[in-house]
Amino acid sequence: REQSVVPVARLAGVTREQFLRDVYPRRRPVVLKGMELGTCTTKWTVDYLSQAEGSKEVKIHVSAVPHMDFLSKNFVYRTLPFDVFVQRAAEVKHKEYFISEDEKYYLRSVGEDARKDIADIRKQFPILAEDVQIPEYFEKEQFFSSVFRISSAGLQLWTHYDVMDNFLIQVTGKKRVVLYSPRDAPYLYLSGTKSEVLDVDNPDLEKYPLFVKAKRYQCFLEAGDVLFIPALWFHNVISEEFGVALNVFWKHLPPESYDKSDTYGNKDPTAASRAIQILDRALKTLEELPEEYRDFYARRMVLRIQEKAYRNDYG
C-alpha cells in the first residue's frame, strides 16, 4: 500500500500577468523556473554570507536527528553569531557542537520581537536583501512577510500548512518538497496546523493507517526555482544539500480575515477560529446525551457540514 505520487507542474518564463490569469486561480502548487531573482543565486556562497552579515546573533533550531518534529519538540533553540552559524550549517561533521558532532541546524528568521514583529529580510538582513529581487506577483499591500531560511544538508521539516499563499524561493542548494491537498486533511492526523506523521517516506501505518489515502504531490527544487504553495496546502521539506531559501507570504483574503496577532502566517483566519470554537461547544453539549444518541446526532452534524460546506468541484 503506497501513496500515489503526482509530480508538481513546472513552468518556465511565467510573467506576472500569466501567473495571475492562468496559474493563480487554479490554487495548485507549481514550480516556476527561470525567474529573475537578482544576484543572490550566484553571490550567496558560504563565505559571502558569513562576511555580508557578520557576527550579529541569530536564534536557531538545533536537532540531533534529521526529522525535526514541532509537536514533540525534538530540537533545542540556541543562539550563535550569524557567521559562525553559516559555517557550521554548511559542515557535515562539527568540531564544535551543542548536542552531537553530526547535529543539524535550521534558521527561520523572525522579527526583532518574535511575538510582535513580522520577518522581513529587508529589516533583519538588509545587506543580503539588496541581492534579492522578489517576484511581486501580488499587490504591494498584500505582502505579509519575507522569511530568510538556512538549512543543513539532510534536515527535514515537519508537514504543516500555512494560511497565506507563499513563494518558496530556493536561492542555493537543493530541496525535495512533498505536498498534500487541503482536501486530504482527514488522512494526515492533524494536531493544529501540523501533521503527526513525521516520516512521510516510511510512515507507521499501524499508527496512521489512513495516511496511504492522501495523494502525494512532489517536486525537487534547484537553485533559482520558485515553488508557489497555495494557502492550506500541506508541505514537507527536506534539504538535500546545505541551502539558503526565502519564503514570501502574502494575503490572499481581505486583510480583516486574518488574526492581527499572527506574526508567522499560521494562525487560522478569525472566522475559522470562531467556527471551531462553536463546534467545540456543540460537541460539549452532545455530552449531555447517552452514547448512542451522541453517536447518532454527531453523525447528523457531520452530514450537515458535508452538505453545507464541502466543495464538489475540488480536483
Side-chain angles (χ1 to χ4, degrees):
R1 292 193 303 163
E2 290 188 357
Q3 286 178 317
S4 57
V5 178
V6 182
V8 173
R10 308 173 77 84
L11 300 172
V14 176
T15 65
R16 176 187 164 122
E17 290 70 27
Q18 289 169 325
F19 177 77
L20 292 174
R21 184 188 68 225
D22 304 328
V23 179
Y24 198 51
R26 295 190 67 225
R27 313 297 299 155
R28 292 288 189 91
V30 63
V31 178
L32 304 171
K33 299 189 70 69
M35 300 187 80
E36 183 50 61
L37 300 173
T39 57
C40 55
T41 51
T42 50
K43 279 173 82 172
W44 284 8
T45 62
V46 170
D47 289 340
Y48 175 78
L49 290 166
S50 302
Q51 291 162 12
E53 295 287 353
S55 59
K56 70 162 75 173
E57 292 207 323
V58 287
K59 191 176 183 182
I60 55 169
H61 301 67
V62 183
S63 178
V65 294
H67 292 95
M68 279 178 56
D69 179 5
F70 196 81
L71 296 171
S72 71
K73 296 285 197 296
N74 67 345
F75 53 85
V76 293
Y77 291 105
R78 292 292 181 264
T79 303
L80 280 176
F82 182 73
D83 51 358
V84 174
F85 157 70
V86 171
Q87 296 288 340
R88 280 212 213 170
E91 300 168 345
V92 177
K93 296 279 185 195
H94 313 293
K95 289 190 177 72
E96 293 184 49
Y97 50 84
F98 296 107
I99 307 169
S100 64
E101 65 177 9
D102 56 355
E103 65 194 13
K104 307 290 185 190
Y105 297 89
Y106 171 57
L107 167 70
R108 188 257 188 230
S109 66
V110 293
E112 202 67 40
D113 180 339
R115 289 170 302 176
K116 295 179 186 172
D117 300 326
I118 287 160
D120 186 339
I121 190 173
R122 294 167 296 188
K123 294 176 182 172
Q124 286 98 44
F125 299 91
I127 296 164
L128 294 177
E130 291 176 14
D131 302 333
V132 184
Q133 188 176 315
I134 291 172
E136 292 191 354
Y137 284 26
F138 49 89
E139 299 301 324
K140 275 191 164 50
E141 59 271 17
Q142 289 178 286
F143 171 83
F144 176 72
S145 66
S146 50
V147 181
F148 183 61
R149 301 181 191 269
I150 296 181
S151 303
S152 293
L155 185 79
Q156 189 162 2
L157 279 184
W158 54 88
T159 305
H160 67 284
Y161 70 87
D162 300 295
V163 300
M164 294 184 197
D165 291 340
N166 81 87
F167 281 147
L168 170 55
I169 302 167
Q170 192 62 29
V171 181
T172 70
K174 295 180 180 178
K175 277 195 175 83
R176 184 199 74 180
V177 187
V178 172
L179 304 107
Y180 298 97
S181 161
R183 196 173 193 181
D184 282 343
Y187 314 131
L188 298 180
Y189 297 88
L190 297 185
S191 178
T193 61
K194 301 159 191 73
S195 169
E196 291 179 13
V197 184
L198 208 55
D199 189 342
V200 296
D201 299 308
N202 298 290
D204 181 343
L205 294 180
E206 284 190 13
K207 196 173 180 182
Y208 308 115
L210 296 177
F211 185 66
V212 289
K213 292 189 174 187
K215 186 190 283 187
R216 172 179 175 140
Y217 294 76
Q218 184 169 289
C219 63
F220 293 89
L221 302 180
E222 297 185 353
D225 287 349
V226 177
L227 172 61
F228 167 54
I229 307 177
L232 310 183
W233 273 77
F234 296 88
H235 44 287
N236 176 289
V237 181
I238 184 168
S239 297
E240 299 198 321
E241 302 172 339
F242 164 79
V244 185
L246 184 67
N247 262 127
V248 182
F249 291 87
W250 68 92
K251 297 176 178 181
H252 172 57
L253 305 177
E256 61 275 11
S257 304
Y258 300 98
D259 187 323
K260 288 185 172 56
S261 68
D262 187 6
T263 56
Y264 288 90
N266 61 7
K267 286 190 177 179
D268 291 313
T270 50
S273 296
R274 286 201 314 274
I276 290 166
Q277 287 169 0
I278 293 164
L279 176 61
D280 286 342
R281 287 202 298 274
L283 293 170
K284 188 84 178 154
T285 306
L286 279 186
E287 288 176 13
E288 296 171 18
L289 293 167
E291 188 177 28
E292 65 180 293
Y293 283 79
R294 195 162 66 237
D295 179 283
F296 173 71
Y297 286 103
R299 288 173 193 274
R300 278 194 59 188
M301 286 166 67
V302 169
L303 290 169
R304 189 84 161 267
I305 289 170
Q306 289 177 333
E307 184 187 308
K308 295 284 186 187
Y310 275 25
R311 282 178 63 177
N312 296 319
D313 60 338
Y314 234 131

